[in-house]
Amino acid sequence: MLSLAITLASLILRLLQVMLFLRAVLSWFPMEPDNPIVRVTYAVTEPLILPVRSFLYRMFPSLQRFPLDISFLVVLLLVEALLSVF
């Protein structure tokens, strides 16, 4: 049973990793927000990125002027760290 839980957690983290990469690639191209792929990708990833972004902006207000979304990278690194555990 524990093996099944670990496998399931690993699968969910891998899918999240794919969704994060998809979000990064989609950000390079102008797309309509009504596009189903964009909507699903943001619906899955935004609940994880938004709290991290809010925390980082509170702790480091100067990041709001930084052109790169550091919160995305933090979430991606957290997912990678969790994957290395499994």
Side-chain angles (χ1 to χ4, degrees), residues 2 10 22-23 28 33 48 55 59 66 72 83 86:
L2 182 60
S10 180
L22 182 60
R23 179 180 173 139
W28 298 339
L48 298 169
F55 174 76
M59 297 302 292
F66 195 64
F72 172 82
L83 277 171
F86 294 110

Side-chain angles (χ1 to χ4, degrees), residues 39-55:
R39 285 189 6 220
V40 168
T41 303
Y42 275 75
V44 169
T45 57
E46 193 64 21
L48 298 169
I49 293 174
L50 187 60
V52 173
R53 184 181 298 132
S54 298
F55 174 76

Side-chain angles (χ1 to χ4, degrees), residues 52-70:
V52 173
R53 184 181 298 132
S54 298
F55 174 76
L56 288 174
Y57 286 173
R58 266 195 322 262
M59 297 302 292
F60 309 101
S62 61
L63 282 179
Q64 292 178 8
R65 295 186 306 271
F66 195 64
L68 185 63
D69 188 5
I70 299 296

